[in-house]
Amino acid sequence: MTTDTRILIALRGAGTGFVSGAELSQQLGITRAAIWARIEELRKLGYDIAASPHQGYRLISVPDVLHADDLLSLVQGNKVVGRDIRVFEETASTNDVVEKLARDRVKEGVVVFAESQSKGRGRLGRKWISPPRKGLWFSVLLRPNLRPQAATQLTVVAATALFRAIRDVTGVTPEIKWPNDILIKGRKVAGVLTELSAELDHINHLILGIGVDVNQTATEFPPELRKTATSLKAEAGRHIHRADLAAAILRELDRDYARITSLDFAKVADEWQQQCTTIGQRVAIQIGDRVIQGHAEALDDDGALLVRTQYGRLERVIGGDVTLQK
Ligand code: BT5
């Protein structure tokens, strides 16, 4: 843990109170002058920290920037997801950065955020719009001990984590649309891109790419997305602090990842089914050139959607574009 992370943990721990320089210096094992120097650096980044010669330091406000040390201080209890966090000002795609880390054998749980992406992507090579500082654009490296067929479980885990974090931080209750969309009043506010490196019988690594539209105003979306997309700010009616939301998502992901690695996917799937607006609906699912039509009945143990087709057959669908039918 870096010195800045530890200073921020101590300041947050004090709430609206002060932490004395002597206390910090003792806890961190560095001089009071060194602490003062770090506080000055944090101030330059936009952290408003009051300093009083008698009482010490107090955190007044934090800027709306993503800062790796700060994010780490917010998820210090996490076991896997977020034990290593890196933030870039701009990348082509955070999934590509993580893919490279995976090939360099970096441990699972590393999370890469970018303030903006020049080539953010969705599924099937679609574009994902990722404007600077308006949303959360990040990817998580995982090495789950699962068969490749069960990879959809991770998309389900990401969707339930997003659902809970968005509801808890903003007060707005979103819906989950299978397999990878989070919607509010029918408009997309977040998406998940799961990419996989696997052998026939096991997953080498899996990258969860997550995009959340946080603080765009309606007119900041490109015209072609204005009818289909929305942001948390537009729906909640207030600015949302991105670092708080990011930390909440990483905490929820860590919790659910632990659940599936302990082979408890059923609990995650139950919660998912309760929030998912796709289950129980008539759907048309486009998979490549093929369209399956029928009734979405449930999720199976691998996270696949079970669809009763118009011919009465139960089909297992692991991906595709869903349209709800009236
Ligand atoms: C997704 O694809 O929903 C997955 C999005 C994943 C984005 C993250 S950001 C961090 C990581 N790095 C990446 O490069 N990607 C991941 P899909 O279901 O295929 O939806 C793509 C479609 O959503 C596009 O064709 C647009 O219609 C629409 N779209 C594009 N940008 C959007 C945005 N910011 N908000 C809402 N909809 C958007």
Side-chain angles (χ1 to χ4, degrees):
M1 219 186 268
T2 66
T3 305
D4 288 5
T5 306
R6 296 171 71 191
I7 290 177
L8 287 164
I9 291 173
L11 290 176
R12 281 212 169 83
T16 53
F18 279 87
V19 185
S20 78
E23 220 175 292
L24 274 176
S25 135
Q26 202 187 21
Q27 265 180 34
L28 275 63
I30 56 174
T31 64
R32 291 174 70 160
I35 295 212
W36 172 244
R38 292 317 312 159
I39 296 274
E40 282 290 279
E41 288 304 313
L42 286 169
R43 281 176 163 173
K44 279 186 205 150
L45 291 170
Y47 290 82
D48 189 358
I49 300 170
S52 139
H54 301 299
Q55 292 167 291
Y57 301 106
R58 182 162 74 92
L59 185 60
I60 297 173
S61 70
V62 297
D64 188 18
V65 292
L66 299 176
H67 177 37
D69 289 328
D70 197 11
L71 290 166
L72 276 168
S73 82
L74 291 169
V75 298
Q76 36 166 330
N78 284 19
K79 289 202 173 60
V80 175
V81 177
R83 56 188 171 186
D84 177 356
I85 295 180
R86 308 182 190 190
V87 178
F88 292 83
E89 196 51 36
E90 182 177 303
T91 58
S93 157
T94 53
N95 268 40
D96 293 342
V97 178
V98 170
E99 177 64 43
K100 196 164 174 302
L101 295 177
R103 279 192 254 121
D104 292 345
R105 303 298 311 157
V106 169
K107 274 210 311 206
E108 70 167 346
V110 62
V111 184
V112 171
F113 287 87
E115 287 286 17
S116 76
Q117 296 183 116
S118 55
K119 291 207 172 98
R121 62 173 180 269
R123 295 173 303 153
L124 306 168
R126 292 175 193 135
K127 218 166 135 182
W128 184 261
I129 310 287
S130 325
R133 300 189 194 286
K134 294 290 178 184
L136 293 175
W137 330 118
F138 66 101
S139 303
V140 185
L141 172 64
L142 298 172
R143 299 183 189 280
N145 185 12
L146 291 175
R147 294 163 298 123
Q149 299 87 307
T152 312
Q153 286 188 8
L154 270 310
T155 311
V156 170
V157 159
T160 43
L162 278 167
F163 169 87
R164 280 199 302 265
I166 288 174
R167 184 195 55 193
D168 297 349
V169 171
T170 69
V172 177
T173 304
E175 2 164 347
I176 302 174
K177 181 181 167 210
W178 188 88
N180 70 321
D181 288 351
I182 303 291
L183 312 177
I184 298 178
K185 295 191 205 125
R187 292 180 185 214
K188 184 151 167 170
V189 75
V192 181
L193 172 69
T194 307
E195 292 182 323
L196 196 63
S197 154
E199 308 296 329
L200 264 181
D201 56 345
H202 73 274
I203 292 176
N204 297 327
H205 66 256
L206 181 148
I207 299 169
L208 276 181
I210 296 179
V212 189
D213 297 310
V214 184
N215 284 323
Q216 294 101 319
T217 55
T219 52
E220 280 170 330
F221 283 100
E224 68 274 16
L225 290 184
R226 280 184 204 155
K227 286 216 171 76
T228 54
T230 189
S231 74
L232 296 176
K233 176 178 169 175
E235 300 302 325
R238 65 184 166 89
H239 184 273
I240 303 296
H241 193 259
R242 289 178 308 140
D244 287 345
L245 178 66
I249 297 170
L250 297 185
R251 281 194 294 266
E252 297 298 337
L253 265 178
D254 189 63
R255 203 174 77 167
D256 278 354
Y257 187 55
R259 280 178 172 177
I260 62 163
T261 44
S262 61
L263 301 178
D264 207 1
F265 179 65
K267 272 204 195 115
V268 183
D270 278 354
E271 188 176 343
W272 186 93
Q273 297 211 32
Q274 280 165 27
Q275 309 306 343
C276 176
T277 48
T278 315
I279 303 288
Q281 301 274 352
R282 295 202 56 73
V283 292
I285 305 176
Q286 175 104 31
I287 310 163
D289 295 340
R290 198 172 151 229
V291 178
I292 295 182
Q293 288 193 330
H295 184 255
E297 294 204 335
L299 269 196
D300 81 356
D301 294 347
D302 285 337
L305 189 67
L306 298 175
V307 179
R308 180 77 60 190
T309 69
Q310 69 252 59
Y311 310 111
R313 219 182 31 239
L314 200 60
E315 288 237 19
R316 226 184 131 256
V317 186
I318 58 163
D321 282 309
V322 177
T323 321
L324 298 184
Q325 312 271 282
K326 294 271 172 318

